[in-house]
Amino acid sequence: MRVVGGPLSDLRDAVAAASGAVTGAGGPRSVSPTLERPKKVGFGDYATNAAMLLAPRAGKPPRDVAGQLAEELEQRLGAALERVEVAGPGFLNLFMSDVWLVAALGHVVAAGDAFGGGTAPSPERVNVEFVSANPTGPMTAAGGRHAAYGDSLARLLEFSGHDVTREYYINDIGGQVRRLGDSISARARGEAVPEGGYEGEYVRELAERIPGAGTDDPAVVAERGVQLLLEQICASMHAIGVDFDVWFSEASLHAGESPAVRRAFEELERRGETYRSEGALWLRTSAHGAPKDDVLERSTGEPSYLASDIAYHLDKRERGFDRLIDVWGADHHGHVARMHAAFDALGGSTGQLELIIMQFVNIIERGERAQMSKRRGDFVTLDDLIEQIGVDAVRFFMLQRSHDTTIDLDLDLAREQSSENPVYYVQYAHARIASILAKAGGSPRVLPALEEAAGFDGALQPAERTLVKKLLAFPDEIAEATEKRAPHRMAVYALELAQTFTAFYRDCQVVGAEGAGRESFRLALSATTKRTIARSLDLLGVSAPDKM
RNA sequence: GCGCCCGUAGCUCAGUGGAUAGAGCGCUCGCCUCCGGAGCGAGAGGUCGCAGGUUCAAAUCCUGCCGGGCGCGCCA
């Protein structure tokens, strides 16, 4: 991902312009040269593969094209460039001057708290629906992954400039809710729960908390049970730092004078997307890419789950969102094609609806996979997990992994390693910087240092150069994490930034550094690093304490 | 049978077209008069599941196979 504006963007423009000059008219628009930070120090500060991409078009060997590009770049970049080398099959390795790096840090300083933010090309109103676990039991540990992911994605979108609504869809009607009511009623009477009911201990507790649970209509008992569980779920979400803007009731789609589900049916009928067969109302989802048609209304007259979902998405669209993002569990992926097809049948524009599938969390305890069956009451709750390893560790752990890989969480290992969790390393670096800045004299000393830093003209140490470059990468990292819906990239970046700072701290004395302007430069470098770590952690929903 | 996700170090996982594939944990060795040792340095550890193919270049893209997870309902 590329962010427009800033030192890296200028560099990219220079490479593009040089490419255009070498290949003549047409320019490099159709090719997309990389500008990456090579792994090896000897390969320069940045490297580009432009010459290798242009070689076929230029009809010359890559290294010849690279040579021409190098000359162009030297002219265009002037003092910013120390030197440029042609390497390997045709890479161009750019060695930037200290002047360029100092100016680059000046850019980071000037950007302030907004550094890396507001880069969305066109701001949108985005609805992110996530977790949406059935209110038939407490929030499980796996729900924590959904919560951390959805919320972090929302934070990234917001920071990028979008207007985000966090939403939780409550499946508060249907068979599962009925079974919950029956289970509570049975427990209240001291009986075993019915076949297929909920056996967890929490059902007994609900039975005690609901007056008349044993005698009242199970439907009413179920409603009360759902209400109590939702309060509990809401509290668990709050505990992990997630506060939803909207709690959307599925039942509400079926209520009122003109229920949303009815209106959705009418809209689909009007569009000729439905038909009757075998006593049921069907939707032509197969005409929109789904494997087969699906039932909207059962032959019993009851609307299907899909019917609710269609009405729900229609409602979201009517609320004026430009983009709908649903985060679903892996067990729902069979529903994806169906939902896309249905949305299409409703006339939704392609790409407006994104369905993201989260893979599972396996909880390993005493070397065995815990079963995590809500129905049997056999699962680890999110509250337990938070109590055992803490909110920051839970969020960081859940967000370190890509959403489309199954993760194994070994509880015993997590407990043992909780003090060695990478999140503490990142937080420690942040606290350490806070301590350094305080020792230097706090803001009365740091604020002027931020001003002076851009005027520093001393020679930079390798660790200083590396740290500046790591900071410069931040806006691209955010854009990448946001656009790829991959908040785990932020976790990886935060860890790398902390490591880079720690190396700088080891090699470079900050407070009392000798040489004109050296201390100011390093204070500015430290202060901007602190800010960037704090921002990275904030985007993950993890705290950045000044003291630990 | 069909579809989706995954297979990378002992373990948990990054890396999805670039140069000699990385991190954390674990293991071995070294470092506590020095801005916070919750730290630092060095080291061992890899057929990137297997086999073909595309490409100047493949862990990354294509095809097939193997292994694991999930799904394929007038359940939600």
Side-chain angles (χ1 to χ4, degrees):
Chain A
M1 297 303 121
R2 288 119 191 252
V3 169
V4 176
L8 286 188
S9 174
D10 294 346
L11 251 193
R12 277 196 200 93
D13 290 347
V15 170
S19 301
V22 167
T23 53
R29 281 283 168 260
S30 57
V31 300
S32 186
T34 58
L35 185 70
E36 55 177 17
R37 296 190 308 129
K39 294 163 210 147
K40 282 205 71 165
V41 194
F43 291 160
D45 297 305
Y46 297 99
T48 177
N49 62 355
M52 288 178 284
L53 296 180
L54 295 172
R57 172 171 322 193
K60 281 183 256 184
R63 290 187 61 104
D64 288 359
V65 178
Q68 282 179 274
L69 271 179
E71 282 177 32
E72 284 288 335
L73 281 171
E74 276 172 341
Q75 273 181 23
R76 283 162 202 280
L77 292 170
L81 196 61
E82 187 72 42
R83 65 195 157 90
V84 53
E85 285 177 359
V86 178
F91 285 103
L92 269 182
N93 294 334
L94 308 179
F95 295 78
M96 308 311 293
S97 66
D98 287 348
V99 173
W100 185 83
L101 284 158
V102 169
L105 181 64
H107 168 85
V108 177
V109 168
D113 282 336
F115 180 53
T119 59
S122 55
E124 295 178 332
R125 285 195 63 203
V126 185
N127 180 290
V128 183
E129 182 226 315
F130 58 110
V131 186
S132 301
N134 288 339
T136 52
M139 184 57 57
T140 63
R145 185 178 190 190
H146 285 255
Y149 176 87
D151 183 60
S152 187
L153 178 57
R155 286 169 189 247
L156 282 163
L157 288 164
E158 278 170 342
F159 189 56
S160 297
H162 300 290
D163 179 13
V164 181
T165 294
R166 293 166 173 76
E167 188 152 326
Y168 189 117
Y169 181 58
I170 311 162
N171 301 116
D172 52 359
I173 54 167
Q176 303 201 27
V177 171
R178 264 197 305 279
R179 277 190 288 274
L180 176 72
D182 294 342
S183 300
I184 298 172
S185 295
R187 284 303 190 202
R189 290 191 297 268
E191 300 164 8
V193 301
E195 183 72 26
Y198 293 91
E199 297 176 13
E201 185 55 34
Y202 67 90
V203 177
R204 277 181 219 277
E205 288 165 21
L206 285 173
E208 283 172 25
R209 288 171 63 193
I210 300 172
T215 50
D216 288 357
D217 179 358
V220 176
V221 174
E223 203 175 317
R224 282 289 292 141
V226 165
Q227 206 169 47
L228 289 169
L229 285 167
L230 273 176
E231 283 168 19
Q232 205 178 321
I233 287 168
C234 185
S236 298
M237 287 293 107
H238 184 72
I240 199 172
V242 180
D243 295 293
F244 289 93
D245 300 303
V246 176
W247 294 78
F248 196 100
S249 157
E250 179 183 0
S252 73
L253 294 167
H254 301 267
E257 291 277 308
S258 137
V261 171
R262 272 299 138 214
R263 285 189 287 117
F265 284 6
E266 283 160 16
E267 173 69 13
L268 289 167
E269 278 166 32
R270 197 178 63 74
R271 290 172 173 272
E273 298 284 358
T274 62
Y275 61 92
R276 291 243 163 223
S277 173
E278 300 168 56
L281 181 67
W282 295 74
L283 178 63
R284 301 185 196 280
T285 38
S286 65
H288 299 274
K292 58 177 212 47
D293 287 345
D294 293 282
V295 168
L296 284 178
E297 190 180 68
R298 296 167 201 152
S299 44
T300 60
E302 253 188 302
S304 67
Y305 173 73
L306 179 64
S308 291
D309 245 6
I310 290 172
Y312 177 42
H313 286 82
L314 186 60
D315 180 276
K316 282 200 247 188
R317 225 177 62 187
E318 284 171 352
R319 275 185 275 154
F321 292 105
D322 302 308
R323 183 173 299 276
L324 308 178
I325 300 178
D326 295 6
V327 183
W328 291 352
D331 53 342
H332 280 63
H333 83 252
H335 190 51
V336 169
R338 200 174 302 153
M339 189 64 238
H340 271 302
F343 194 73
D344 198 37
L346 271 174
S349 60
T350 344
Q352 195 187 6
L353 174 66
E354 286 179 39
L355 304 176
I356 297 176
I357 297 301
M358 285 275 280
Q359 294 302 319
F360 288 154
V361 179
N362 293 319
I363 302 286
I364 313 290
E365 201 164 20
R366 290 177 292 278
E368 288 181 17
R369 184 182 293 183
Q371 286 304 312
M372 299 299 284
S373 158
K374 197 179 275 186
R375 190 157 298 167
R376 290 211 311 277
D378 180 17
F379 54 83
V380 178
T381 65
L382 176 58
D383 292 348
D384 283 346
L385 187 62
I386 291 174
E387 191 180 325
Q388 293 188 21
I389 67 178
V391 175
D392 287 343
V394 172
R395 285 196 70 136
F396 199 86
F397 180 86
M398 295 296 189
L399 288 170
Q400 254 187 302
R401 278 78 170 160
S402 157
H403 68 87
D404 59 9
T405 187
T406 308
I407 59 182
D408 288 332
L409 172 55
D410 187 319
L411 271 190
D412 301 309
L413 211 59
R415 271 189 290 268
E416 265 175 45
Q417 295 178 353
S418 61
S419 66
E420 313 224 7
N421 187 303
V423 72
Y424 297 111
Y425 181 91
V426 180
Q427 291 180 322
Y428 185 74
H430 182 268
R432 181 183 256 165
I433 299 173
S435 166
I436 291 171
L437 299 182
K439 190 177 179 90
S443 30
R445 172 69 189 91
V446 175
L447 292 180
L450 289 170
E451 299 285 325
E452 292 160 26
F456 180 61
D457 60 358
L460 299 188
Q461 303 286 315
E464 291 172 315
R465 298 177 62 97
T466 306
L467 184 51
V468 172
K469 285 185 283 178
K470 194 72 198 173
L471 289 170
L472 289 180
F474 185 62
D476 286 355
E477 295 281 355
I478 288 189
E480 183 108 9
T482 307
E483 283 163 42
K484 289 193 168 161
R485 315 303 192 221
H488 75 278
R489 283 166 174 274
M490 258 304 106
V492 173
Y493 175 80
L495 190 57
E496 287 172 356
L497 178 58
Q499 283 170 331
T500 306
F501 178 81
T502 302
F504 159 78
Y505 167 82
R506 179 190 68 227
D507 295 344
C508 303
Q509 179 72 26
V510 176
V511 181
E514 295 185 6
R518 173 83 61 185
E519 187 190 70
S520 288
F521 179 76
R522 288 181 177 171
L523 281 173
L525 194 45
S526 302
T528 49
T529 301
K530 178 173 184 283
R531 205 153 60 191
T532 307
I533 290 177
R535 174 65 71 189
S536 306
L537 290 177
D538 178 64
L539 290 170
L540 297 166
V542 173
S543 67
D546 280 350
K547 287 191 165 79
M548 293 177 69

Tab-separated table of all heavy atoms in Angstrom, chain A residues 18-65:
chain	number	residue	atom	x	y	z
A	18	ALA	N	11.883	8.953	-13.001
A	18	ALA	CA	13.109	8.462	-13.641
A	18	ALA	C	12.758	7.332	-14.614
A	18	ALA	O	13.285	7.263	-15.720
A	18	ALA	CB	14.094	7.978	-12.582
A	19	SER	N	11.841	6.475	-14.214
A	19	SER	CA	11.419	5.370	-15.075
A	19	SER	C	10.797	5.919	-16.348
A	19	SER	O	11.062	5.429	-17.448
A	19	SER	CB	10.395	4.490	-14.353
A	19	SER	OG	10.935	3.974	-13.162
A	20	GLY	N	9.975	6.942	-16.187
A	20	GLY	CA	9.322	7.565	-17.330
A	20	GLY	C	10.347	8.144	-18.294
A	20	GLY	O	10.235	7.989	-19.503
A	21	ALA	N	11.360	8.774	-17.727
A	21	ALA	CA	12.384	9.396	-18.551
A	21	ALA	C	13.172	8.354	-19.330
A	21	ALA	O	13.529	8.563	-20.486
A	21	ALA	CB	13.334	10.217	-17.671
A	22	VAL	N	13.393	7.206	-18.698
A	22	VAL	CA	14.190	6.161	-19.340
A	22	VAL	C	13.418	5.443	-20.446
A	22	VAL	O	13.952	5.143	-21.506
A	22	VAL	CB	14.679	5.137	-18.289
A	22	VAL	CG1	15.227	3.889	-18.969
A	22	VAL	CG2	15.747	5.774	-17.410
A	23	THR	N	12.129	5.184	-20.185
A	23	THR	CA	11.355	4.432	-21.174
A	23	THR	C	10.673	5.330	-22.187
A	23	THR	O	10.067	4.855	-23.135
A	23	THR	CB	10.277	3.575	-20.495
A	23	THR	OG1	9.500	4.430	-19.645
A	23	THR	CG2	10.896	2.468	-19.685
A	24	GLY	N	10.732	6.642	-21.969
A	24	GLY	CA	10.071	7.564	-22.881
A	24	GLY	C	8.602	7.674	-22.551
A	24	GLY	O	8.188	7.389	-21.432
A	25	ALA	N	7.809	8.054	-23.540
A	25	ALA	CA	6.389	8.304	-23.316
A	25	ALA	C	5.689	7.054	-22.785
A	25	ALA	O	6.133	5.936	-22.986
A	25	ALA	CB	5.742	8.754	-24.616
A	26	GLY	N	4.569	7.268	-22.154
A	26	GLY	CA	3.845	6.130	-21.582
A	26	GLY	C	4.138	6.023	-20.100
A	26	GLY	O	3.240	5.888	-19.302
A	27	GLY	N	5.392	6.132	-19.784
A	27	GLY	CA	5.760	6.135	-18.373
A	27	GLY	C	5.554	4.786	-17.721
A	27	GLY	O	5.219	3.804	-18.374
A	28	PRO	N	5.754	4.732	-16.454
A	28	PRO	CA	5.755	3.475	-15.716
A	28	PRO	C	4.388	3.145	-15.117
A	28	PRO	O	4.303	2.336	-14.227
A	28	PRO	CB	6.759	3.767	-14.602
A	28	PRO	CG	6.546	5.234	-14.317
A	28	PRO	CD	6.051	5.869	-15.605
A	29	ARG	N	3.341	3.765	-15.635
A	29	ARG	CA	2.043	3.603	-14.988
A	29	ARG	C	1.597	2.138	-14.906
A	29	ARG	O	1.028	1.711	-13.956
A	29	ARG	CB	0.985	4.427	-15.725
A	29	ARG	CG	1.051	5.900	-15.366
A	29	ARG	CD	0.419	6.172	-13.991
A	29	ARG	NE	0.736	7.527	-13.548
A	29	ARG	CZ	1.715	7.773	-12.677
A	29	ARG	NH1	2.447	6.785	-12.202
A	29	ARG	NH2	1.955	9.014	-12.290
A	30	SER	N	1.877	1.391	-15.984
A	30	SER	CA	1.373	0.028	-16.003
A	30	SER	C	2.234	-0.927	-15.177
A	30	SER	O	1.779	-1.964	-14.760
A	30	SER	CB	1.264	-0.490	-17.437
A	30	SER	OG	2.531	-0.395	-18.058
A	31	VAL	N	3.478	-0.548	-14.957
A	31	VAL	CA	4.272	-1.352	-14.042
A	31	VAL	C	4.261	-0.649	-12.697
A	31	VAL	O	3.955	0.526	-12.610
A	31	VAL	CB	5.738	-1.523	-14.507
A	31	VAL	CG1	5.759	-2.202	-15.846
A	31	VAL	CG2	6.456	-0.204	-14.555
A	32	SER	N	4.542	-1.400	-11.672
A	32	SER	CA	4.438	-0.831	-10.346
A	32	SER	C	5.677	-1.203	-9.553
A	32	SER	O	5.699	-2.191	-8.835
A	32	SER	CB	3.167	-1.390	-9.689
A	32	SER	OG	2.941	-0.778	-8.478
A	33	PRO	N	6.732	-0.396	-9.715
A	33	PRO	CA	7.991	-0.752	-9.061
A	33	PRO	C	7.873	-0.732	-7.537
A	33	PRO	O	7.126	0.068	-6.973
A	33	PRO	CB	8.959	0.321	-9.552
A	33	PRO	CG	8.147	1.409	-10.124
A	33	PRO	CD	6.811	0.866	-10.447
A	34	THR	N	8.564	-1.634	-6.901
A	34	THR	CA	8.545	-1.664	-5.445
A	34	THR	C	9.557	-0.664	-4.911
A	34	THR	O	10.514	-0.298	-5.592
A	34	THR	CB	8.951	-3.045	-4.918
A	34	THR	OG1	10.264	-3.355	-5.414
A	34	THR	CG2	7.985	-4.115	-5.354
A	35	LEU	N	9.331	-0.208	-3.707
A	35	LEU	CA	10.341	0.564	-3.001
A	35	LEU	C	10.375	-0.073	-1.618
A	35	LEU	O	9.502	0.144	-0.800
A	35	LEU	CB	9.955	2.046	-2.894
A	35	LEU	CG	11.056	2.910	-2.275
A	35	LEU	CD1	12.228	3.043	-3.221
A	35	LEU	CD2	10.533	4.281	-1.906
A	36	GLU	N	11.369	-0.916	-1.420
A	36	GLU	CA	11.361	-1.662	-0.163
A	36	GLU	C	12.622	-1.438	0.626
A	36	GLU	O	13.635	-0.968	0.081
A	36	GLU	CB	11.185	-3.138	-0.455
A	36	GLU	CG	12.249	-3.666	-1.424
A	36	GLU	CD	12.128	-5.157	-1.665
A	36	GLU	OE1	11.071	-5.710	-1.353
A	36	GLU	OE2	13.102	-5.742	-2.155
A	37	ARG	N	12.526	-1.765	1.883
A	37	ARG	CA	13.697	-1.670	2.730
A	37	ARG	C	14.371	-3.033	2.696
A	37	ARG	O	13.810	-4.013	3.181
A	37	ARG	CB	13.311	-1.290	4.163
A	37	ARG	CG	12.692	0.112	4.232
A	37	ARG	CD	12.534	0.582	5.647
A	37	ARG	NE	11.829	-0.399	6.459
A	37	ARG	CZ	12.258	-0.854	7.624
A	37	ARG	NH1	13.387	-0.425	8.119
A	37	ARG	NH2	11.555	-1.729	8.282
A	38	PRO	N	15.549	-3.113	2.087
A	38	PRO	CA	16.206	-4.413	1.963
A	38	PRO	C	16.600	-4.964	3.330
A	38	PRO	O	16.793	-4.204	4.275
A	38	PRO	CB	17.456	-4.091	1.144
A	38	PRO	CG	17.318	-2.695	0.693
A	38	PRO	CD	16.364	-2.020	1.591
A	39	LYS	N	16.711	-6.278	3.371
A	39	LYS	CA	17.058	-6.912	4.650
A	39	LYS	C	18.516	-6.664	5.002
A	39	LYS	O	18.873	-6.537	6.157
A	39	LYS	CB	16.805	-8.416	4.562
A	39	LYS	CG	15.337	-8.752	4.401
A	39	LYS	CD	15.183	-10.192	3.893
A	39	LYS	CE	13.940	-10.341	3.059
A	39	LYS	NZ	14.068	-11.321	1.985
A	40	LYS	N	19.355	-6.637	3.964
A	40	LYS	CA	20.782	-6.490	4.239
A	40	LYS	C	21.220	-5.036	4.196
A	40	LYS	O	20.831	-4.277	3.317
A	40	LYS	CB	21.592	-7.288	3.210
A	40	LYS	CG	21.598	-8.765	3.513
A	40	LYS	CD	22.827	-9.435	2.917
A	40	LYS	CE	24.084	-9.036	3.666
A	40	LYS	NZ	25.217	-9.918	3.369
A	41	VAL	N	22.050	-4.661	5.156
A	41	VAL	CA	22.540	-3.290	5.241
A	41	VAL	C	23.266	-2.897	3.961
A	41	VAL	O	23.115	-1.794	3.466
A	41	VAL	CB	23.528	-3.140	6.427
A	41	VAL	CG1	23.759	-1.669	6.725
A	41	VAL	CG2	22.990	-3.862	7.645
A	42	GLY	N	24.027	-3.801	3.405
A	42	GLY	CA	24.819	-3.514	2.221
A	42	GLY	C	23.997	-3.184	0.991
A	42	GLY	O	24.513	-2.699	-0.005
A	43	PHE	N	22.701	-3.469	1.063
A	43	PHE	CA	21.833	-3.228	-0.089
A	43	PHE	C	21.176	-1.857	-0.045
A	43	PHE	O	20.223	-1.594	-0.769
A	43	PHE	CB	20.758	-4.314	-0.191
A	43	PHE	CG	21.312	-5.669	-0.559
A	43	PHE	CD1	20.603	-6.823	-0.297
A	43	PHE	CD2	22.552	-5.782	-1.180
A	43	PHE	CE1	21.109	-8.078	-0.631
A	43	PHE	CE2	23.068	-7.032	-1.521
A	43	PHE	CZ	22.351	-8.180	-1.246
A	44	GLY	N	21.673	-1.000	0.825
A	44	GLY	CA	21.177	0.366	0.853
A	44	GLY	C	19.988	0.564	1.770
A	44	GLY	O	19.555	-0.346	2.475
A	45	ASP	N	19.469	1.813	1.752
A	45	ASP	CA	18.340	2.149	2.609
A	45	ASP	C	17.033	1.718	1.963
A	45	ASP	O	16.100	1.273	2.629
A	45	ASP	CB	18.314	3.655	2.863
A	45	ASP	CG	19.563	4.109	3.617
A	45	ASP	OD1	19.823	3.558	4.694
A	45	ASP	OD2	20.281	4.980	3.090
A	46	TYR	N	16.966	1.882	0.650
A	46	TYR	CA	15.787	1.461	-0.092
A	46	TYR	C	16.254	0.804	-1.372
A	46	TYR	O	17.345	1.085	-1.859
A	46	TYR	CB	14.875	2.650	-0.398
A	46	TYR	CG	14.332	3.290	0.865
A	46	TYR	CD1	14.923	4.436	1.388
A	46	TYR	CD2	13.260	2.713	1.553
A	46	TYR	CE1	14.455	4.995	2.575
A	46	TYR	CE2	12.790	3.264	2.736
A	46	TYR	CZ	13.399	4.408	3.242
A	46	TYR	OH	12.939	4.940	4.409
A	47	ALA	N	15.419	-0.076	-1.879
A	47	ALA	CA	15.765	-0.741	-3.131
A	47	ALA	C	14.530	-0.766	-4.013
A	47	ALA	O	13.404	-0.817	-3.515
A	47	ALA	CB	16.238	-2.164	-2.847
A	48	THR	N	14.764	-0.711	-5.315
A	48	THR	CA	13.633	-0.787	-6.233
A	48	THR	C	13.933	-1.792	-7.342
A	48	THR	O	15.077	-1.988	-7.743
A	48	THR	CB	13.297	0.587	-6.845
A	48	THR	OG1	12.223	0.417	-7.775
A	48	THR	CG2	14.496	1.186	-7.568
A	49	ASN	N	12.885	-2.456	-7.804
A	49	ASN	CA	13.039	-3.445	-8.875
A	49	ASN	C	12.637	-2.845	-10.225
A	49	ASN	O	12.422	-3.570	-11.185
A	49	ASN	CB	12.186	-4.676	-8.575
A	49	ASN	CG	10.702	-4.346	-8.505
A	49	ASN	OD1	10.315	-3.186	-8.593
A	49	ASN	ND2	9.881	-5.367	-8.348
A	50	ALA	N	12.525	-1.488	-10.265
A	50	ALA	CA	12.012	-0.811	-11.459
A	50	ALA	C	12.712	-1.263	-12.748
A	50	ALA	O	12.048	-1.542	-13.752
A	50	ALA	CB	12.151	0.701	-11.296
A	51	ALA	N	14.024	-1.360	-12.685
A	51	ALA	CA	14.780	-1.693	-13.898
A	51	ALA	C	14.379	-3.067	-14.440
A	51	ALA	O	14.238	-3.256	-15.650
A	51	ALA	CB	16.270	-1.657	-13.595
A	52	MET	N	14.168	-4.032	-13.545
A	52	MET	CA	13.814	-5.383	-13.986
A	52	MET	C	12.428	-5.422	-14.608
A	52	MET	O	12.154	-6.196	-15.512
A	52	MET	CB	13.909	-6.350	-12.818
A	52	MET	CG	15.352	-6.622	-12.429
A	52	MET	SD	15.501	-7.727	-11.022
A	52	MET	CE	15.087	-6.643	-9.678
A	53	LEU	N	11.563	-4.552	-14.101
A	53	LEU	CA	10.210	-4.497	-14.648
A	53	LEU	C	10.194	-3.787	-16.000
A	53	LEU	O	9.393	-4.109	-16.874
A	53	LEU	CB	9.265	-3.780	-13.676
A	53	LEU	CG	9.051	-4.457	-12.317
A	53	LEU	CD1	8.106	-3.638	-11.453
A	53	LEU	CD2	8.504	-5.866	-12.485
A	54	LEU	N	11.091	-2.814	-16.147
A	54	LEU	CA	11.101	-2.020	-17.382
A	54	LEU	C	11.902	-2.671	-18.495
A	54	LEU	O	11.727	-2.340	-19.678
A	54	LEU	CB	11.667	-0.624	-17.094
A	54	LEU	CG	10.833	0.254	-16.162
A	54	LEU	CD1	11.608	1.520	-15.801
A	54	LEU	CD2	9.505	0.621	-16.818
A	55	ALA	N	12.797	-3.576	-18.126
A	55	ALA	CA	13.706	-4.177	-19.099
A	55	ALA	C	13.007	-4.746	-20.343
A	55	ALA	O	13.419	-4.464	-21.464
A	55	ALA	CB	14.568	-5.238	-18.428
A	56	PRO	N	11.947	-5.538	-20.180
A	56	PRO	CA	11.282	-6.105	-21.359
A	56	PRO	C	10.796	-5.017	-22.307
A	56	PRO	O	10.936	-5.124	-23.523
A	56	PRO	CB	10.109	-6.885	-20.764
A	56	PRO	CG	10.463	-7.120	-19.338
A	56	PRO	CD	11.312	-5.956	-18.934
A	57	ARG	N	10.226	-3.967	-21.732
A	57	ARG	CA	9.686	-2.884	-22.542
A	57	ARG	C	10.794	-2.100	-23.239
A	57	ARG	O	10.677	-1.709	-24.392
A	57	ARG	CB	8.898	-1.942	-21.621
A	57	ARG	CG	8.445	-0.677	-22.289
A	57	ARG	CD	7.511	0.061	-21.375
A	57	ARG	NE	6.636	-0.896	-20.662
A	57	ARG	CZ	5.566	-0.548	-20.001
A	57	ARG	NH1	5.231	0.713	-19.932
A	57	ARG	NH2	4.832	-1.443	-19.382
A	58	ALA	N	11.882	-1.893	-22.503
A	58	ALA	CA	12.995	-1.124	-23.059
A	58	ALA	C	13.799	-1.958	-24.046
A	58	ALA	O	14.571	-1.422	-24.836
A	58	ALA	CB	13.892	-0.627	-21.930
A	59	GLY	N	13.619	-3.261	-23.974
A	59	GLY	CA	14.340	-4.130	-24.881
A	59	GLY	C	15.833	-4.172	-24.594
A	59	GLY	O	16.649	-4.381	-25.484
A	60	LYS	N	16.163	-3.937	-23.338
A	60	LYS	CA	17.566	-3.952	-22.938
A	60	LYS	C	17.747	-4.805	-21.697
A	60	LYS	O	16.776	-5.034	-20.958
A	60	LYS	CB	18.023	-2.515	-22.631
A	60	LYS	CG	18.328	-1.700	-23.877
A	60	LYS	CD	18.849	-0.322	-23.506
A	60	LYS	CE	17.778	0.725	-23.716
A	60	LYS	NZ	18.194	2.087	-23.467
A	61	PRO	N	18.942	-5.268	-21.432
A	61	PRO	CA	19.177	-6.041	-20.209
A	61	PRO	C	18.845	-5.200	-18.979
A	61	PRO	O	19.109	-3.985	-18.992
A	61	PRO	CB	20.680	-6.356	-20.258
A	61	PRO	CG	21.067	-6.191	-21.687
A	61	PRO	CD	20.147	-5.149	-22.262
A	62	PRO	N	18.310	-5.811	-17.952
A	62	PRO	CA	17.908	-5.088	-16.743
A	62	PRO	C	19.019	-4.221	-16.162
A	62	PRO	O	18.770	-3.093	-15.750
A	62	PRO	CB	17.548	-6.207	-15.765
A	62	PRO	CG	17.204	-7.375	-16.617
A	62	PRO	CD	18.001	-7.249	-17.869
A	63	ARG	N	20.226	-4.737	-16.168
A	63	ARG	CA	21.307	-3.969	-15.550
A	63	ARG	C	21.639	-2.704	-16.349
A	63	ARG	O	22.048	-1.700	-15.779
A	63	ARG	CB	22.551	-4.840	-15.362
A	63	ARG	CG	22.350	-5.912	-14.270
A	63	ARG	CD	23.649	-6.652	-13.965
A	63	ARG	NE	24.683	-5.766	-13.473
A	63	ARG	CZ	25.048	-5.677	-12.185
A	63	ARG	NH1	24.444	-6.407	-11.279
A	63	ARG	NH2	25.998	-4.857	-11.827
A	64	ASP	N	21.426	-2.749	-17.670
A	64	ASP	CA	21.639	-1.537	-18.473
A	64	ASP	C	20.581	-0.492	-18.137
A	64	ASP	O	20.869	0.691	-17.955
A	64	ASP	CB	21.556	-1.866	-19.969
A	64	ASP	CG	22.782	-2.662	-20.418
A	64	ASP	OD1	23.656	-2.921	-19.561
A	64	ASP	OD2	22.841	-3.026	-21.606
A	65	VAL	N	19.336	-0.948	-18.055
A	65	VAL	CA	18.244	-0.041	-17.685
A	65	VAL	C	18.514	0.544	-16.307
A	65	VAL	O	18.322	1.737	-16.059
A	65	VAL	CB	16.893	-0.791	-17.684
A	65	VAL	CG1	15.765	0.151	-17.258
A	65	VAL	CG2	16.604	-1.372	-19.052
